[in-house]
Amino acid sequence: MSRRTFAGVPVSVLSWMAARNLPRTTTPARREEVKAPGNTRVTDDAFAACIEPVVAVDPLDPHNLLAVCRVFVGADIGVAAYTSFDAGSTWRARGLLPGLVPDFDGNPTVAFDSRGRAFVCCVVATQGPPRHGDVLMWRSDDGGRGFRPSTTAIAGGAGLVDHPSLTIGTGSHRTPAPLYLAAGMYGTADDGVVIARSTDGGRTFQPPRALDPAAGARAIAPVAAAGPDGSLTVAYFTPSPSGDVLIRAVTSGDHGETFTEPFTVAGVPAMAPGLGDVTAKSGPALAAAADGGLVCAAVTGFDDATGMSRLLLTTSAGPTDPTPTWSTPMTVAASDETVYLQPQVAIADDHRIAISVYALSLATLRMDVLLHISDPVPAASAQPAFGPPLRVTTRAFDPRQAIDTGSTHWLGNYQGLAAAPGDVFHPVWTDTRTGRAQIFTAAVRRPRA
C-alpha cells in the first residue's frame, strides 16, 4: 500500500480512512476491571537508543525479571541485559553481554528453565557485505547478575542466522530440560526455518534441522513454544501464491525428535498498511501453557479492501495429533481508526491469555501499548472471552522519534511479554516519550476469577 503512507504524502492513511466512513467495532464490557499500571523505564544508561526488548520471569522467584534488548553504540549495535529483583519496580543495567563487541548484533531471546537458570541468545553479525552471523548463547545462574562465557548455538558460516526464538521444555531431577532454538538461515546451502536442540543444559547444541525445506528462504520470523511432556510448536510466516501472509507451523510431541509436516494455521492479506517513514514489521507471536493443553498464536492483519486493522488469535490443544487442530482465527480487536502492530502473547497459570500490541492512532499519529486479557480458558476448544483492552502506556508516544536509519525510523521488529507465577503480566516495549527509543515496562495484575 505504498500510495497510502503514514505521513508526508497528499493522501495519508488518516484521510483515506476518514473518507471511507467505515463502521466502528465495539467489544462487550468486562465483568471485572483491571487497574491501569504505572510505567517503569528499564533502560537509563549510556547507550544512545534501545529497541527489541524481551523479558522472562524466574519461575522460582517471580520478583526476578531479566530483560534483554538491542542497544546502539555509535554506528554499531550490541545486546545488553537488565535485571529487576522487585517484580519490575526498579531495574539495574548489566551492560553488554560478556565478550560481545557491538557490530550488527540483535534479535535477543531469553528464557528461564525450571531450575531458575537464565539463558540468553542473540545474533552476532557483521554490518559489512557480505553479512554473516551466528547465534550465541549465554547462561546465568544468578538471575542475570552475571553470565558465563558464550557458546555457539547455531553457526551461520558464510551465511546469516536470523530471528532466533528460544524455548525450554520440562526436565527432571536427573535430566536437564531440553532447550529448543528456532531460527531462520539465509545465504547458506539450507536456507529456511531450522530448529536446534540442546540436551545438556545449553553447553552444546545438535546441528540445526530444516523444518520446511519446501518453503526455503521464503519462511521467516520463526517463534517456538514448548509445553510439558515433550510438546513443541514452531510457527513462522510464508507468503501464499495469492500474495497473502500465512502463519505456518510444525509440531513435535517427542522432545523434537520428529515433527509433523508443515500446515497452515491462519492467513492475513497483510500484517499492516504502509507506514511511510516508520518501520515496525513483526512476525507471529506464540505461547504454550506450562501445564499443557493450550497453545496460542497471535497476529495482526490489515485488509486493504476494507481498511480494517485486526488483532487475531487462534488456539490449539497442542501436538496431540499427527496434524494438530487449530481454531478458526478469532478477532480480538478490529478498528478503522487504529493500526495494530507487533503482537505478543503469554499464557498465565490459570489459562488466562494476554496479548500485548502496539496501537497506532490515525487521528493523533501517536502510539500506545494495549493489553488484552481473557477470562480463564477451560479448554483449547473453548473460544477465549476478552473484555475491553487495558491501556498500558501512561503516555502515548511518537514512533517517528525512533531510530533514524537515514531512510526510515526503526521501532524494531518485536516487543516482549511474560506471565509471572501468580497473577501478573509484564509487557515490555520500545517507547520514545523521552525523545529517543528506550525500553519501558509495567506490571499488570490480572483479575481473579
Side-chain angles (χ1 to χ4, degrees), residues 422-433:
D423 58 358
V424 180
F425 291 107
H426 294 280
V428 58
W429 66 92
T430 305
D431 195 307
T432 66
R433 71 182 71 182

Side-chain angles (χ1 to χ4, degrees), residues 78-96:
V79 174
Y82 301 82
T83 56
S84 174
F85 292 92
D86 55 10
S89 296
T90 60
W91 291 83
R92 178 174 176 180
R94 300 294 174 177
L96 293 168

Side-chain angles (χ1 to χ4, degrees), residues 12-210:
S12 67
V13 174
L14 176 59
S15 61
W16 171 67
M17 296 288 192
R20 286 175 176 258
N21 193 26
L22 294 171
R24 295 177 176 85
T25 60
T26 58
T27 314
R30 174 182 286 284
R31 297 185 302 273
E32 304 161 326
E33 293 184 357
V34 184
K35 294 183 179 180
N39 292 177
T40 300
R41 183 171 170 177
V42 175
T43 55
D44 191 12
D45 43 22
F47 298 119
C50 308
I51 60 172
E52 295 185 347
V54 290
V55 64
V57 182
D58 184 346
L60 302 183
D61 179 7
H63 292 90
N64 178 199
L65 278 63
L66 174 59
V68 188
C69 66
R70 212 167 193 173
V71 296
F72 286 73
V73 185
D76 299 318
I77 307 175
V79 174
Y82 301 82
T83 56
S84 174
F85 292 92
D86 55 10
S89 296
T90 60
W91 291 83
R92 178 174 176 180
R94 300 294 174 177
L96 293 168
L97 295 174
L100 195 64
V101 178
D103 194 343
F104 200 75
D105 312 321
N107 291 158
T109 178
V110 59
F112 279 91
D113 68 8
S114 59
R115 301 179 183 180
R117 299 179 300 183
F119 297 85
V120 175
C121 292
C122 76
V123 177
V124 178
T126 61
Q127 297 187 60
R131 278 194 63 198
H132 62 277
D134 306 330
V135 174
L136 302 188
M137 170 174 282
W138 290 260
R139 178 179 134 185
S140 174
D141 297 330
D142 55 8
R145 295 181 180 89
F147 292 88
R148 297 188 177 194
S150 64
T151 59
T152 299
I154 302 179
L160 174 69
V161 188
D162 194 29
H163 205 290
S165 176
L166 175 67
T167 186
I168 303 178
T170 54
S172 66
H173 292 293
R174 297 181 179 180
T175 306
L179 278 63
Y180 307 103
L181 186 62
M185 298 190 71
Y186 308 101
T188 71
D190 299 305
D191 283 357
V193 172
V194 300
I195 189 78
R197 183 180 65 166
S198 173
T199 58
D200 58 8
R203 288 189 290 272
T204 62
F205 276 80
Q206 298 167 0
R209 297 166 49 191

Side-chain angles (χ1 to χ4, degrees), residues 330-414:
M330 66 172 288
T331 299
V332 178
S335 178
D336 63 306
E337 298 176 334
T338 299
V339 175
Y340 301 111
L341 300 163
Q342 297 192 357
Q344 286 296 326
V345 62
I347 304 175
D349 49 16
D350 65 353
H351 280 207
R352 291 182 191 266
I353 302 169
I355 309 172
S356 63
V357 67
Y358 273 147
L360 173 65
S361 167
L362 296 174
T364 64
L365 304 184
R366 293 296 187 270
M367 189 172 280
D368 279 298
V369 174
L370 303 182
L371 187 66
H372 298 260
I373 304 176
S374 79
D375 293 333
V377 180
S381 59
Q383 179 166 292
F386 290 86
L390 173 71
R391 182 190 175 198
V392 174
T393 34
T394 56
R395 177 180 172 185
F397 63 91
D398 186 351
R400 292 166 296 182
Q401 292 183 317
I403 305 299
D404 187 354
T405 67
S407 59
T408 187
H409 294 88
W410 186 27
L411 200 63
N413 294 335
Y414 52 83

